[in-house]
Amino acid sequence: MKKCNTIHQLTSQSHSQMMSYVIETKDDKIIVVDGGCRCDAQYLLNYIKELTGGTIQIDAWILTHVHSDHHGAIIEAFENHEFEFNVDKIYYNFPTIELLMQNEPMYSVDHDEFEKCKPKLLPKLQILKDDDVLDFGEAVFKVLYAPDFTIPENFINNTSVVLKMTLSGNTMIFLGDLGVEAGNIMLAKRGEELKSDFVQMAHHGQNGVTFDVYKAINPQVCFWDTPLWLWNNDAGNGYNTHVWQTVIVRGWMDELGIKNHFVTKDGTNKIEL
């Protein structure tokens, strides 16, 4: 069977929101974006093992920001599955602990876990900067936004690295958990460059970037890393009864006329291009 360039959107192995993508190329490259929580690590590794037929060779592991539902899997993988896989390069851009303590000290444990694991990662680490291009043959990523760490509001989410991937002539923007403030800066800087066929919805589809950012991206397909409770804005009292903005953002996508949605509440999704 002829191999395709494929986007794999992995679902959560717990009740938590998370984000985990595997990009599989027809020239046998494997790129991971985030990977999810610690509890998602084994599923991720097993999934790649099945794709590759036994050897877990990861060409690149890209981390959008330093929250445990995005970087927990790589920490778990290196701490407890180190000899089950190989990764060539790890790309990231995280704030210092000093900046984190000034702005969102409640998340210092996420930073500390990464720093504890860092000695195992060091030879493979590369810091992402604006306009960096990561070329993996069939899959090419460009950094559209790298944080300057000067936004105090929603600090860690606003340090999300944003990447635009080109794959099989299609483009996809990974927004991570980007917030309103950083999203507006990116919009002012990038403008028409944001236009993409696919978009990964910011912050699991709620309380992320503004409608204007999505309007500029103008996607045909939305990828939601969103469990059912968050999709329905339901903390136990019924549909759209909580404070999450997912239903509002779903309405934005309706307004933009987008009909195609892949949502992790439905399980792992596989999109061949």
Side-chain angles (χ1 to χ4, degrees):
M1 182 182 292
K2 189 176 179 182
K3 197 168 184 180
C4 299
N5 293 319
T6 307
I7 301 168
H8 304 265
Q9 180 195 36
L10 275 55
T11 194
S12 177
Q13 300 307 294
S14 71
H15 192 58
S16 173
Q17 63 187 33
M18 52 77 83
M19 174 174 153
S20 180
Y21 288 85
V22 176
I23 310 304
E24 177 193 18
T25 71
K26 61 185 179 183
D27 54 349
D28 297 317
K29 298 288 194 302
I30 294 288
I31 301 103
V32 175
V33 182
D34 283 351
C37 303
R38 277 184 174 269
C39 65
D40 299 302
Q42 188 67 75
Y43 177 70
L44 171 65
L45 295 176
N46 289 345
Y47 194 92
I48 296 171
K49 186 175 183 178
E50 203 160 303
L51 293 179
T52 59
T55 303
I56 308 176
Q57 171 61 42
I58 301 168
D59 295 275
W61 199 320
I62 303 169
L63 301 171
T64 60
H65 64 293
V66 66
H67 271 152
S68 62
D69 59 324
H70 294 256
H71 81 334
I74 196 170
I75 295 170
E76 175 68 19
F78 271 91
E79 284 187 356
N80 296 309
H81 304 277
E82 184 179 4
F83 302 109
E84 298 177 25
F85 71 101
N86 183 62
V87 57
D88 288 343
K89 279 283 187 181
I90 301 165
Y91 298 91
Y92 80 119
N93 191 339
F94 292 170
T96 64
I97 188 62
E98 290 78 15
L99 283 170
L100 195 150
M101 292 302 291
Q102 288 173 25
N103 293 284
E104 283 187 335
M106 71 286 284
Y107 293 115
S108 62
V109 64
D110 293 355
H111 189 282
D112 290 346
E113 284 207 329
F114 184 79
E115 288 297 310
K116 183 181 174 184
C117 190
K118 203 171 181 178
K120 293 183 177 182
L121 311 181
L122 268 176
K124 305 170 186 292
L125 286 174
Q126 182 171 321
I127 294 176
L128 292 169
K129 304 180 297 297
D130 270 341
D131 295 310
D132 277 355
V133 175
L134 312 179
D135 190 334
F136 306 109
E138 290 285 321
V140 178
F141 293 78
K142 181 177 180 180
V143 177
L144 297 186
Y145 179 81
D148 63 10
F149 308 113
T150 59
I151 302 170
E153 300 87 4
N154 197 14
F155 179 69
I156 294 180
N157 287 335
N158 274 320
T159 68
S160 293
V161 173
V162 175
L163 302 112
K164 184 174 184 177
M165 176 182 72
T166 302
L167 185 69
S168 295
N170 296 280
T171 52
M172 177 171 178
I173 285 193
F174 293 91
L175 293 170
D177 279 359
L178 204 69
V180 169
E181 297 81 9
N184 288 342
I185 290 170
M186 180 182 69
L187 177 60
K189 180 178 180 180
R190 295 294 179 178
E192 292 183 1
E193 192 176 0
L194 292 178
K195 175 69 184 82
S196 293
D197 301 304
F198 309 151
V199 65
Q200 171 259 314
M201 303 297 288
H203 200 225
H204 312 276
Q206 73 90 27
N207 200 29
V209 299
T210 63
F211 174 78
D212 286 341
V213 172
Y214 289 118
K215 186 176 179 180
I217 296 171
N218 192 25
Q220 299 170 21
V221 180
C222 298
F223 288 78
W224 302 73
D225 305 299
T226 312
L228 182 62
W229 53 268
L230 186 54
W231 177 257
N232 287 333
N233 184 30
D234 180 5
N237 293 317
Y239 179 80
N240 202 23
T241 56
H242 203 57
V243 298
W244 303 308
Q245 297 176 25
T246 332
V247 175
I248 293 171
V249 178
R250 286 165 59 184
W252 293 352
M253 299 307 106
D254 289 341
E255 187 175 340
L256 291 173
I258 302 164
K259 305 295 184 185
N260 299 312
H261 301 272
F262 294 100
V263 191
T264 57
K265 71 177 178 62
D266 301 319
T268 290
N269 294 301
K270 177 181 176 180
I271 301 89
E272 294 182 344
L273 301 175

